């Protein structure tokens, strides 16, 4: 079937008519119409090439030939209901298990990060026989009703917080209550969770789970302080709950030094449940939950079958296996260390030059550049961040903002990002900031 090719204006007009307006586009005032992509580049209807700095979904690069070939070959051979026995799902689970701590060895395959986090919530409640959940402030865990309820980023805009949801402070060592200058910010932030658990118990409630992104992204590209997760897990376990690590955005080697973001917290920490999504299918809908034998057995013992028609189907698993192959064969973790480290150093150099850069943080190809109007007061430079995003788009570079005040420029590009890409981004940011920093006075750090 040949589809008619519309002009950009016609496509936009028809979208406004046919698609729900809450489904927003990047650059809503002048959206980019993308026709094709390859690697870290996007091409619009006029053939202009954009550098993609945010598509962590297309983990190993847009339209990677090894991925498209694996999908086509398997689709031509078999794609069927997941209740039929097939080798791919076993091979894939075994490959994933090799990247994880030994205790995490039982897999449930689903189709999206939201599905994964919803299932993790069910697993936690079945295992603990408790109901309440602790989450970090500004967190986002998915778009299902159950996950909106535990995502402060969303539910604060929609209505009252559920009585079974409890919000712990975001461990932000740049602008939070406890900072890098404190003796042990990891312990201090963990103790806020301990205090919250005590409050929950006083109300007669019990904790089923503590949910946290291994590196909070919507919260502003946050790197959790050393020791935080191990101490929180200790407190949560003592309360009869489990620790759920949300790796939907940051898993599969994005941090470079490790395969999983939670591994940045050291060998003393291992979650009870890990959720995965976005990058594992390189754009194909593929997600997963992995947990312990004990938690999985409790879920089985409830007498209710868990069935997912498409989760773990042969085509999805073929794609997942191909993604793992590319990560290894192209040493994309090594690339994340090298290129991410280079980009971070370039941004740190810009921080010395431009007072508006309050903080540079991140690991591998997960980086955040926080803009502030005043170094001492840390007043969010929200308007300036939006202008920077717009200006970079004019230079054919795609970035976006995150954080509670939308003043953090985030970098989560495809893992094939290059030295030249990093230097181009830093050069263009430098040029733009040089034109606006006259209005920003350095009053502190």
């Amino acid at each position: 079937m040949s589809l008619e090719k519309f002009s950009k204006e016609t496509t936009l007009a028809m979208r406004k008519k046919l698609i729900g307006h809450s489904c927003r586009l990047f650059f809503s005032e002048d959206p980019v119409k993308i026709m094709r992509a390859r690697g870290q580049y996007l091409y619009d209807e006029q053939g202009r090439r954009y550098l993609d700095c945010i598509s962590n979904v297309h983990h190993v690069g847009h339209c990677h030939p090894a991925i498209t070939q694996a999908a086509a070959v398997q689709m031509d051979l078999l794609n069927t209901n997941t209740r039929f026995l097939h080798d791919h799902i076993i091979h894939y689970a075994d490959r994933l298990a090799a990247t994880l701590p030994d205790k995490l060895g039982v897999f449930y395959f689903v189709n999206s990060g939201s599905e994964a986090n919803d299932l993790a919530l069910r697993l936690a409640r079945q295992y603990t026989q408790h109901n309440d959940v602790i989450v970090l402030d500004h967190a986002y865990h998915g778009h299902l009703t159950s996950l909106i309820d535990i995502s402060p980023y969303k539910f604060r805009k929609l209505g009252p917080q559920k009585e079974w949801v409890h919000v712990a402070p975001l461990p932000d060592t740049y602008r939070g209550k406890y900072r890098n200058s404190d003796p042990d910010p990891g312990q201090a932030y963990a103790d806020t969770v301990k205090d919250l658990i005590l409050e929950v118990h006083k109300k007669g409630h019990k904790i089923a789970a503590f949910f946290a992104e291994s590196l909070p992204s919507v919260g502003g590209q946050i790197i959790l302080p050393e020791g935080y997760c191990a101490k929180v897990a200790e407190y949560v376990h003592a309360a009869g709950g489990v620790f759920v690590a949300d790796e939907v955005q940051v898993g599969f080697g994005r941090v470079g030094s490790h395969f999983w973001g939670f591994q940045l917290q050291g060998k003393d920490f291992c979650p009870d449940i890990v959720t995965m999504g976005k990058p594992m299918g390189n754009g194909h809908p593929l997600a997963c939950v992995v947990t312990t034998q004990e938690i999985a057995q409790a879920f089985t013992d409830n007498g209710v079958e868990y069935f997912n028609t498409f989760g773990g189907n042969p085509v999805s698993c073929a794609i997942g296996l191909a993604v793992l192959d590319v990560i290894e064969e192209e040493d994309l973790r090594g690339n994340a260390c090298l290129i991410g480290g280079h980009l971070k150093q370039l941004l740190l150099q810009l921080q010395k030059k431009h007072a508006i850069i309050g903080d540079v943080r991140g690991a591998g190809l997960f980086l955040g550049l926080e803009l502030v109007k005043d170094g001492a007061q840390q007043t969010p430079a929200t308007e300036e961040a939006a202008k920077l995003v717009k200006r970079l788009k004019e230079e054919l570079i795609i970035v976006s903002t995150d954080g509670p005040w939308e003043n953090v420029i985030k970098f989560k590009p495809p893992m094939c990002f290059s030295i030249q890409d990093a230097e181009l981004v830093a050069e263009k940011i430098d040029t733009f900031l040089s034109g606006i920093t006259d209005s920003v006075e350095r009053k502190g750090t």
Side-chain angles (χ1 to χ4, degrees):
M1 180 177 64
S2 178
L3 298 177
E4 181 181 354
K5 293 183 179 180
F6 300 125
S7 68
K8 177 180 174 179
E9 293 73 22
T10 299
T11 301
L12 184 57
M14 292 184 69
R15 180 183 173 94
K16 289 179 178 179
K17 177 182 177 181
L18 297 169
I19 306 300
H21 290 187
S22 58
C23 301
R24 297 179 181 175
L25 294 166
F26 290 126
F27 315 109
S28 55
E29 293 181 1
D30 182 23
V32 180
K33 183 176 181 180
I34 299 301
M35 304 300 290
R36 62 186 181 92
R38 179 72 68 172
Q40 64 272 49
Y41 302 113
L42 305 166
Y43 298 84
D44 70 9
E45 79 285 359
Q46 297 183 31
R48 290 176 295 196
R49 190 182 79 173
Y50 292 80
L51 177 61
D52 184 355
C53 298
I54 57 175
S55 285
N56 61 319
V57 178
H58 300 89
H59 191 62
V60 302
H62 292 275
C63 303
H64 193 291
I67 311 301
T68 56
Q69 182 181 21
V73 168
Q74 185 57 48
M75 196 172 294
D76 188 52
L77 182 65
L78 172 72
N79 196 28
T80 188
N81 189 301
T82 55
R83 292 196 192 195
F84 289 108
L85 191 63
H86 196 269
D87 287 341
H88 279 5
I89 191 171
I90 303 305
H91 285 306
Y92 190 36
D94 191 51
R95 288 278 298 276
L96 289 174
T99 70
L100 290 157
D102 289 342
K103 82 171 191 177
L104 295 172
V106 183
F107 295 82
Y108 300 85
F109 289 99
V110 294
N111 307 290
S112 71
S114 290
E115 267 194 274
N117 281 328
D118 179 75
L119 178 56
L121 182 57
R122 289 180 60 190
L123 287 164
R125 284 175 166 166
Q126 180 64 34
Y127 176 71
T128 65
Q129 293 296 295
H130 299 167
N131 187 66
D132 288 29
V133 176
I134 297 176
V135 295
L136 296 179
D137 206 359
H138 309 298
Y140 175 63
H141 294 291
H143 62 77
L144 300 181
T145 299
S146 62
L147 304 175
I148 295 295
D149 287 344
I150 64 169
S151 298
Y153 168 70
K154 291 291 186 181
F155 74 62
R156 293 199 190 284
K157 303 173 185 177
L158 295 173
Q161 179 177 324
K162 296 293 191 295
E163 64 175 0
W164 52 268
V165 177
H166 312 281
V167 180
L170 180 67
D172 181 351
T173 56
Y174 170 65
R175 63 164 62 250
K177 182 177 181 180
Y178 305 107
R179 304 186 178 181
N180 288 319
S181 56
D182 288 297
D184 191 347
Q187 179 69 62
Y189 277 115
D191 285 344
T192 67
V193 177
K194 182 180 181 180
D195 294 340
L196 189 56
I197 291 172
L198 293 175
E199 293 178 17
V200 171
H201 287 174
K202 287 178 182 178
K203 296 176 182 177
H205 293 217
K206 294 183 178 180
I207 299 299
F210 174 88
F211 264 77
E213 297 166 271
S214 296
L215 290 81
S217 182
V218 170
Q221 304 292 94
I222 302 298
I223 302 296
L224 299 177
E226 182 180 354
Y228 174 75
C229 288
K231 292 303 296 185
V232 168
E234 177 185 327
Y235 299 147
V236 171
H237 290 158
V242 298
F243 192 113
V244 180
D246 181 339
E247 293 269 343
V248 170
Q249 296 212 51
V250 300
F252 292 83
R254 176 154 295 277
V255 300
S257 58
H258 299 82
F259 202 85
W260 303 104
F262 72 80
Q263 292 171 325
L264 291 174
Q265 288 285 302
K267 295 181 179 180
D268 293 336
F269 170 67
C270 177
D272 303 294
I273 300 172
V274 175
T275 60
M276 319 168 189
K278 299 181 188 298
M280 66 191 299
N282 208 55
H284 179 82
L286 174 61
C288 184
V289 179
V290 62
T291 189
T292 66
Q293 287 284 352
E294 294 77 14
I295 293 173
Q297 188 60 50
F299 193 58
T300 300
D301 290 344
N302 72 3
V304 178
E305 175 192 16
Y306 178 75
F307 171 55
N308 193 305
T309 305
F310 301 110
N313 70 74
V315 170
S316 293
C317 290
I319 291 170
L321 285 163
V323 169
L324 294 180
D325 287 343
V326 173
I327 292 172
E328 293 176 6
E329 292 167 5
E330 299 184 7
D331 188 23
L332 293 183
R333 277 181 54 194
N335 196 63
C337 286
L338 176 65
I339 307 305
H342 184 61
L343 177 56
K344 187 175 181 180
Q345 287 303 312
L346 292 174
L347 296 177
L348 286 168
Q349 292 172 21
L350 294 184
Q351 183 183 25
K352 296 176 182 178
K353 181 177 180 181
H354 301 290
I356 194 171
I357 300 178
D359 193 34
V360 176
R361 52 182 176 263
L365 283 171
F366 177 92
L367 299 173
L369 181 74
E370 180 153 358
L371 303 186
V372 295
K373 293 178 182 291
D374 181 289
Q377 299 299 319
Q378 298 177 326
T379 310
T382 303
E383 182 181 352
E384 290 80 0
K387 288 180 179 178
L388 175 56
V389 170
K390 184 178 180 181
R391 282 291 302 275
L392 289 176
K393 180 213 172 192
E394 293 170 357
E395 298 291 336
L396 306 184
I397 297 172
I398 304 294
V399 299
S400 62
T401 57
D402 253 331
W405 297 275
E406 294 291 341
N407 68 316
V408 179
I409 308 299
K410 63 179 179 181
F411 298 94
K412 292 183 291 186
M415 296 276 278
C416 52
F417 217 61
S418 71
I419 288 285
Q420 292 77 16
D421 298 328
E423 292 179 347
L424 175 65
V425 169
E427 175 192 338
K428 296 301 183 181
I429 291 174
D430 184 24
T431 299
F432 173 70
L433 293 184
S434 295
I436 67 168
T437 51
D438 289 345
S439 62
V440 179
E441 181 180 356
R442 185 180 292 276
K443 296 181 179 178
T445 58

